[in-house]
């Protein structure tokens, strides 16, 4: 009995020692993670909201990526600044130079002049990070100084709503539940191994408190940003010259894709790499550079990050047939602006009712083209009336295709719908043009209803 008690006592001491060792190890690890993190103070002579530190305001965070003084942060933290001040871990302050920035990915690279080597971060491979991976967020919330919060990766490849500023959907954001607040922007998101997996960029709030929904730019994109901002002062994106939108499962089923996923190519720029290769509007994009499009694929990100000046394969479906193209990737020097169009007046138009779909249609005339802003080269059938059944379509839209079959007039539409209903198909996919939305082309799927025969 004495021996057993002795063993238990020794075991208890060992457990306490191990627990304390783990705590000390965690403390040391977190302390090391905090050293490369900096606070960023921005002075803007056009703003009256620089109230702290004798007119300065702590606007965000950043982290050191090179021991000579290169610092990565968010573009929105430093954009428009007259002077940028960086506060490093020991309290020293430096005036920073803006090396380069990119509003589309919300990244910016700063440089401070130092006479010593600074502590730096190490990047993780964000492609290998799984949902539920534990993470630390380090930053300067509300200007209180460097703080640490913990959480997990809640989701991957997130797109942000369009109303959330200029950030585009070619950023496959990581979502985390780690507590993020004002001032955390630009700070690192660490794995428990001490590697940066992302940069905190956006948090969703109800205006009163953090709600536990935050987004970070993945580290693989950050490493590219550091290199290109340092070398060119901006990001150089790949360009093939297409605009593509995702298809939902109903559309993919109606178009005969089976279990495959696809994106509808709704625009091809003239003389672009895709145009020169032979890719056309209305093609269905299935594969890019030997990677099949899947349900969670971020196609915008893929198109913006192809190998520059290299020939890559692309697979599309056209009129039900797969086609292969070789596309030489170009460089996109600047973003294209989208010019919105004003809605044309939609007066009552004589129309013909189509029983199997809830719209009334009319042949395109020069008067209708002028009234609704429809290009002269566009062929299809005008939607002149919409029924009570909910739909994305509206008066002034043009039906271009029925299940990938081109139509030019109402007769074509009636014939195609007759063939589909006679085959007792469950649904039909209409390819539609709307001059007043972006992108202007989209698919709508209708489930077809058939009368039950009388017994």
């Amino acid at each position: 009995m004495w021996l057993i008690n002795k063993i238990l006592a020794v075991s208890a001491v060992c457990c306490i020692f191990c627990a304390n060792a783990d705590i000390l190890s965690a403390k040391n690890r977190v302390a090391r993670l905090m050293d490369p993190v900096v606070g960023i103070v921005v002075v803007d002579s056009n703003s009256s909201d620089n109230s702290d530190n004798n007119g300065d305001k702590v606007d965000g965070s950043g982290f050191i990526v090179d021991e000579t003084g290169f610092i990565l942060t968010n573009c929105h933290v430093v954009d428009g600044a007259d002077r940028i001040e960086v506060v490093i871990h020991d309290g020293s302050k430096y005036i920073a130079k803006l090396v380069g920035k990119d509003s589309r990915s919300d990244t910016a690279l700063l440089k401070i002049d130092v006479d010593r080597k600074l502590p730096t971060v190490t990047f993780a491979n964000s492609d290998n990070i799984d949902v539920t991976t534990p993470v630390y967020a380090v930053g300067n919330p509300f200007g209180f100084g460097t703080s640490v919060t913990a959480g997990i990766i809640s989701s991957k490849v997130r797109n942000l709503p369009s109303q959330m500023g200029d950030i585009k959907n070619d950023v496959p954001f990581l979502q985390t539940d780690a507590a993020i607040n004002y001032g955390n922007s630009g700070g690192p998101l660490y794995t428990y191994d001490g590697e940066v997996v992302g940069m905190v960029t956006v948090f969703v709030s109800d205006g009163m408190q953090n709600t536990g929904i935050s987004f970070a730019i993945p580290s693989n994109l950050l490493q590219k940003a550091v290199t290109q901002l340092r070398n060119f002062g901006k990001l150089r994106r790949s360009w093939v010259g297409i605009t593509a939108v995702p298809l939902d499962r109903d559309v993919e089923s109606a178009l005969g894709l089976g279990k495959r996923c696809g994106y509808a190519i709704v625009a091809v720029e003239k003389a672009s790499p895709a145009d020169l290769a032979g890719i056309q509007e209305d093609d269905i994009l299935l594969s890019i550079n030997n990677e099949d499009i899947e349900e969670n694929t971020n196609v915008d990100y893929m198109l913006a990050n192809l190998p520059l000046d290299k020939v890559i394969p692309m697979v599309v479906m056209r009129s039900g047939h797969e086609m292969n193209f070789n596309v030489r990737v170009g460089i996109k020097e600047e973003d294209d602006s989208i010019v919105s169009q004003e809605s044309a007046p939609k007066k009552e138009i004589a129309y013909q009712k189509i029983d199997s779909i809830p719209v009334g249609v009319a042949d395109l005339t020069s008067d209708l083209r002028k009234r609704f802003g429809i290009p002269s080269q566009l062929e299809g059938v005008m939607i002149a009336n919409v029924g009570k059944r909910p739909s994305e379509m509206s008066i002034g839209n043009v039906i271009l295709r029925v299940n990938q079959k081109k139509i030019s007039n109402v007769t074509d539409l009636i014939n195609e719908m007759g063939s589909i209903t006679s085959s007792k198909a469950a649904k039909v996919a209409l390819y539609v043009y709307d001059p007043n939305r972006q992108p202007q082309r989209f698919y709508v799927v209708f489930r077809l209803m058939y009368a039950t025969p009388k017994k």
Side-chain angles (χ1 to χ4, degrees):
M1 190 67 177
W2 175 85
L3 181 59
I4 293 174
N5 289 336
K6 191 73 172 179
I7 292 173
L8 290 174
V10 171
S11 298
V13 171
C14 290
C15 290
I16 293 172
F17 176 81
C18 291
N20 288 336
D22 288 341
I23 293 171
L24 290 173
S25 176
K27 286 182 178 179
N28 292 334
R29 181 169 65 248
V30 173
R32 288 196 300 272
L33 300 186
M34 296 174 75
D35 286 346
V37 181
V38 305
I40 296 179
V41 177
V42 171
V43 176
D44 180 358
S45 60
N46 296 320
S47 173
S48 60
D49 192 27
N50 297 316
S51 54
D52 298 332
N53 301 322
N54 298 319
D56 292 342
K57 180 180 67 173
V58 177
D59 278 280
S61 308
F63 50 94
I64 302 166
V65 295
D66 186 283
E67 62 185 12
T68 61
F70 284 94
I71 295 165
L72 192 64
T73 186
N74 283 141
C75 179
H76 78 260
V77 171
V78 299
D79 202 21
D82 293 318
R83 188 177 82 245
I84 304 170
E85 188 175 87
V86 169
V87 184
I88 65 173
H89 66 284
D90 64 2
S92 302
K93 297 182 180 180
Y94 298 86
I95 299 299
K97 173 187 175 183
L98 180 61
V99 177
K101 63 179 182 178
D102 180 69
S103 61
R104 184 165 168 170
S105 64
D106 202 13
T107 54
L109 188 66
L110 310 178
K111 176 67 169 67
I112 58 176
D113 293 327
V114 291
D115 56 2
R116 54 187 166 130
K117 293 182 179 181
L118 297 177
T120 63
V121 301
T122 301
F123 286 104
N125 183 344
S126 53
D127 289 343
N128 295 337
I129 298 299
D130 298 320
V131 173
T132 72
T133 296
V135 289
Y136 294 119
V138 184
N140 293 272
F142 302 109
F144 282 119
T146 308
S147 302
V148 180
T149 57
I152 62 169
I153 297 296
S154 308
S155 186
K156 298 173 61 176
V157 196
R158 285 294 203 201
N159 291 335
L160 299 186
S162 59
Q163 63 267 30
M164 282 187 164
D166 296 328
I167 305 172
K168 307 300 181 184
N169 277 338
D170 54 15
V171 178
F173 285 97
L174 301 174
Q175 181 180 321
T176 178
D177 66 346
I180 303 295
N181 289 287
Y182 176 83
N184 275 106
S185 291
L189 191 68
Y190 286 107
T191 66
Y192 276 22
D193 291 330
E195 296 180 324
V196 172
V197 70
M199 179 167 68
V200 173
T201 299
V202 179
F203 69 90
V204 179
S205 171
D206 60 4
M208 296 296 292
Q209 60 185 355
N210 176 276
T211 60
I213 302 177
S214 309
F215 300 92
I217 302 168
S219 55
N220 287 3
L221 190 153
L222 295 177
Q223 293 179 82
K224 172 185 174 181
V226 169
T227 300
Q228 295 200 4
L229 292 176
R230 188 169 179 174
N231 292 336
F232 310 111
K234 60 183 179 181
L235 260 61
R236 305 173 74 197
R237 291 181 172 82
S238 56
W239 172 64
V240 296
I242 65 173
T243 302
V245 297
L247 303 175
D248 63 30
R249 297 306 300 175
D250 280 343
V251 174
E252 289 166 343
S253 175
L255 297 181
L257 269 63
K259 294 184 178 180
R260 301 190 68 179
C261 298
Y263 267 55
I265 298 177
V266 297
V268 179
E269 297 177 44
K270 290 185 178 179
S272 66
D275 184 34
L276 296 175
I279 294 174
Q280 300 176 4
E281 285 183 0
D282 307 337
D283 287 347
I284 306 298
L285 184 60
L286 301 176
S287 173
I288 305 171
N289 200 21
N290 295 318
E291 290 189 37
D292 288 343
I293 294 173
E294 298 178 351
E295 187 173 356
N296 294 321
T297 298
N298 188 322
V299 168
D300 291 333
Y301 177 73
M302 289 179 67
L303 292 174
N305 289 276
L306 295 169
L308 302 179
D309 200 32
K310 300 294 184 182
V311 176
I312 59 103
M314 297 180 71
V315 181
V316 306
M317 178 179 286
R318 181 181 301 167
S319 300
H321 301 286
E322 285 192 21
M323 303 181 68
N324 297 276
F325 296 92
N326 292 318
V327 181
R328 179 171 291 279
V329 179
I331 299 173
K332 191 70 170 178
E333 294 294 348
E334 58 185 2
D335 295 336
D336 293 325
S337 58
I338 297 175
V339 180
S340 62
Q341 301 181 15
E342 295 184 1
S343 299
K346 296 175 176 56
K347 300 177 181 178
E348 186 68 23
I349 306 166
Y351 64 87
Q352 184 167 345
K353 187 176 180 182
I354 306 295
D355 292 333
S356 47
I357 53 177
V359 295
V361 297
D363 286 331
L364 279 170
T365 65
S366 58
D367 177 61
L368 290 177
R369 290 181 186 276
K370 183 177 180 180
R371 285 172 57 185
F372 292 96
I374 307 302
S376 58
Q377 72 274 15
L378 200 72
E379 291 188 352
V381 173
M382 170 74 73
I383 295 175
N385 179 270
V386 292
K388 296 180 181 179
R389 198 165 153 193
S391 168
E392 293 183 61
M393 299 186 295
S394 59
I395 295 173
N397 290 178
V398 179
I399 301 174
L400 306 175
R401 294 179 180 234
V402 178
N403 282 0
Q404 293 200 83
K405 185 68 177 293
K406 290 183 178 180
I407 59 171
S408 300
N409 50 51
V410 173
T411 301
D412 287 349
L413 175 60
I414 293 173
N415 290 339
E416 285 303 316
M417 291 307 305
S419 298
I420 291 169
T421 54
S422 64
S423 69
K424 296 297 181 181
K427 49 199 169 186
V428 61
L430 304 181
Y431 193 43
V432 181
Y433 173 86
D434 184 344
N436 299 309
R437 66 181 274 174
Q438 292 293 339
Q440 293 177 322
R441 300 178 187 226
F442 58 98
Y443 275 98
V444 176
V445 171
F446 289 107
R447 295 188 180 278
L448 301 177
M449 306 297 291
Y450 298 95
T452 303
K454 295 181 180 180
K455 294 183 179 180

